[in-house]
Amino acid sequence: QVQLAESGGDLVQPGGSLRVSCAASGFTFSSYYMSWVRQAPGKGLEWVSGINTGGGSTYYVASVKGRFTISRDNAKNMLYLEMNSLNPEDTALYYCARDLGAGAYDYWGQGTQVTVSS
């Protein structure tokens, strides 16, 4: 069965960096676009970043462009999100999701918590 498992969330000081990871299994990872979606406390889901099947095309929401980098390792079935210059507004539960396009996702992980606070 399809499984997505995020890891790497932590408490980070403002201005700090963190990398979160997503281990995929149960499907042909290299055949699917993947995305990171986050949910801040008391707010709705927000798409953060997406990547195409080969990793050569990446996409970001304006608020993280230039600070976050999405990448994937198809040989290891892994998805990553490198986050730099973190600020308190980045505090959220970060999910990886299998991306069907047009804002549709069919599988999600359980999420990993990123908290940015001094």
Side-chain angles (χ1 to χ4, degrees):
Q1 69 280 22
V2 174
Q3 290 189 330
L4 298 170
E6 301 92 339
S7 61
D10 206 347
L11 171 63
V12 185
Q13 291 192 342
S17 298
L18 191 67
R19 187 178 82 160
V20 293
S21 303
C22 173
S25 61
F27 67 104
T28 305
F29 180 70
S30 59
S31 295
Y32 287 87
Y33 279 56
M34 297 294 295
S35 281
W36 287 98
V37 180
R38 66 186 179 185
Q39 186 168 30
K43 296 189 177 180
L45 293 169
E46 178 188 36
W47 173 83
V48 175
S49 181
I51 189 167
N52 72 340
T53 54
S57 295
T58 57
Y59 312 91
Y60 301 94
V61 68
S63 61
V64 308
K65 199 170 293 186
R67 300 189 298 121
F68 289 13
T69 303
I70 190 172
S71 62
R72 65 192 297 163
D73 184 337
N74 286 341
K76 296 182 178 179
N77 290 349
M78 293 293 296
L79 179 72
Y80 305 102
L81 186 67
E82 183 78 34
M83 302 180 286
N84 298 309
S85 301
L86 285 160
N87 59 62
E89 291 69 40
D90 296 315
T91 294
L93 190 60
Y94 283 73
Y95 299 95
C96 67
R98 196 168 77 170
D99 192 336
L100 302 180
Y105 312 96
D106 60 349
Y107 287 95
W108 300 72
Q110 81 289 348
T112 188
Q113 180 67 42
V114 174
T115 302
V116 185
S117 174
S118 55

